[in-house]
Amino acid sequence: MKRLCVWLEVLRKRYNERYGHAEPVVINSGYRSPQLNRKVGGEPTSNHLTGCAADIRVYGKEQLLRYATILLDYADETHQDFDELLMEKNRHNKPWLHFAVRPQGNRRKTDFMVV
């Protein structure tokens, strides 16, 4: 969870520096208990179960792309890998960013389901 929080703090700081904002990064979902994970339809092997993932609220596709770019740039600059960077949307067509980083075994999986 600490590793994930470092990445989220970098995201907040860089986004605010680049785009002149002073906004928090809003987390819709972080750690989930197995019961909550089942209730929300999460995968049985979800990174949320270990506190290694966050679903990040975004206000439109532009912010979604900017967040993803910042995280990808940080991974390249620091030579660190993340496990998942997934652009997703809910049943109301509202986008969010799922981001996960594990202590080890990161896959650098990206998926862009938002159109």
Side-chain angles (χ1 to χ4, degrees):
M1 197 174 296
K2 287 180 183 179
R3 181 182 303 268
L4 175 62
C5 289
V6 168
W7 286 74
L8 294 174
E9 179 59 20
V10 167
L11 173 61
R12 183 200 61 79
K13 183 178 180 195
R14 289 188 180 190
Y15 182 80
N16 289 337
E17 287 172 354
R18 287 183 190 178
Y19 303 106
H21 300 282
E23 301 174 358
V25 172
V26 179
I27 307 300
N28 287 333
S29 181
Y31 169 78
R32 293 184 197 147
S33 68
Q35 296 84 359
L36 179 59
N37 193 60
R38 278 193 299 278
K39 186 175 182 176
V40 300
E43 295 292 325
T45 58
S46 172
N47 279 312
H48 288 283
L49 294 167
T50 57
C52 293
D55 291 340
I56 304 166
R57 178 181 299 164
V58 295
Y59 299 98
K61 293 177 185 176
E62 184 176 315
Q63 188 179 45
L64 178 68
L65 289 168
R66 288 178 174 181
Y67 275 10
T69 300
I70 289 168
L71 292 167
L72 288 167
D73 287 347
Y74 181 68
D76 292 344
E77 291 165 17
T78 62
H79 305 288
Q80 295 183 68
D81 278 329
F82 55 87
D83 193 51
E84 298 172 319
L85 188 138
L86 311 175
M87 294 182 179
E88 301 179 316
K89 61 183 175 180
N90 65 19
R91 65 178 187 267
H92 304 292
N93 213 32
K94 300 278 186 183
W96 79 85
L97 183 66
H98 170 90
F99 183 72
V101 59
R102 298 176 180 174
Q104 58 188 4
N106 290 296
R107 303 170 290 170
R108 203 173 171 119
K109 176 183 175 186
T110 56
D111 197 358
F112 306 101
M113 297 198 253
V114 176
V115 182

